Amino acid sequence: MADKKAILVNAKGMKLTDAGEALDKLNKKAAVLPNADTAGLADKAAALGGVKTTGAEVAAVLEKSPFAVLEGAADAVAAALEAANRRTVVVVAADDGTAFYGMGINGKAGKVARKVDAGDIALTIATIADLPIGEDCESAIIYQVLKDPNLKLNELIKLQEALARMESVIERNNREPWDKHDCA
């Protein structure tokens, strides 16, 4: 199973409503928080283990680390979207709001009026990408941008069901489903 990844783009000086191919792609399937206060977001990202990088090196950083942090404008957004796959969440913090895009995000949420701060944004990224959260966390997950508010519960249920199936096969001493494949 591929690992989950996260990319944060600190796009100070850029607006999500600016023109450009990357921003058009982002806005088409992003949940946008126009009332987001991103002060201190870079520090929160660093606390989560975010690795600062450039647009040209973001793919290489994601091979080694689950969380990359870019500084820049439309070019950084384009690099982030290029490096992202279906198991990546991309967060763009611009002057006129913060956009969530990718894995686990409800692209049909549109604009979410909820007021959030940097801690809420960082915690939501950590929750989606399975990053460790410190015990001093006092923030809230932004459930309004998630495709499934029970994301973690459903992942846990799937893992428990898979474990139960594997245990039943072991108890029967029958490896039939796995014997059909060379990988067993």
Side-chain angles (χ1 to χ4, degrees):
M1 182 188 308
D3 292 328
K4 297 176 181 179
K5 305 287 183 178
I7 303 172
L8 171 64
V9 179
N10 282 323
K12 298 298 175 204
M14 184 191 85
K15 293 188 182 288
L16 294 172
T17 56
D18 289 347
E21 186 176 327
L23 289 172
D24 290 344
K25 179 179 178 182
L26 176 75
N27 286 319
K28 198 176 283 184
K29 290 190 177 181
V32 178
L33 298 155
N35 297 321
D37 177 11
T38 59
L41 186 56
D43 295 334
K44 301 279 185 189
L48 290 174
V51 177
K52 287 188 178 184
T53 186
T54 63
E57 299 174 357
V58 68
V61 167
L62 287 176
E63 289 179 14
K64 299 174 186 169
S65 172
F67 189 19
V69 180
L70 299 170
E71 300 282 336
D75 57 334
V77 173
L81 294 178
E82 178 74 25
N85 61 26
R86 65 181 196 89
R87 306 266 306 154
T88 306
V89 61
V90 177
V91 179
V92 179
D95 289 345
D96 60 345
T98 300
F100 281 80
Y101 173 91
M103 179 187 61
I105 302 301
N106 181 1
K108 297 178 182 176
K111 292 191 179 202
V112 177
R114 175 178 167 182
K115 291 185 180 187
V116 299
D117 63 14
D120 299 335
I121 295 167
L123 179 60
T124 304
I125 293 169
T127 300
I128 294 170
D130 294 336
L131 300 173
I133 300 165
E135 60 186 48
D136 60 339
C137 178
E138 296 179 354
S139 301
I141 297 170
I142 309 168
Y143 288 104
Q144 292 82 2
V145 301
L146 298 180
K147 188 180 292 183
D148 179 10
N150 294 313
L151 174 74
K152 293 299 164 190
L153 177 62
N154 291 336
E155 285 180 2
L156 185 60
I157 289 170
K158 285 181 185 178
L159 289 172
Q160 288 172 336
E161 289 171 351
L163 180 61
R165 285 192 307 271
M166 289 173 59
E167 287 174 343
S168 70
V169 168
I170 291 170
E171 286 176 9
R172 288 187 315 226
N173 198 18
N174 178 356
R175 294 178 40 92
E176 186 179 321
W178 290 282
D179 286 337
K180 295 178 183 177
H181 303 284
D182 292 338
C183 61

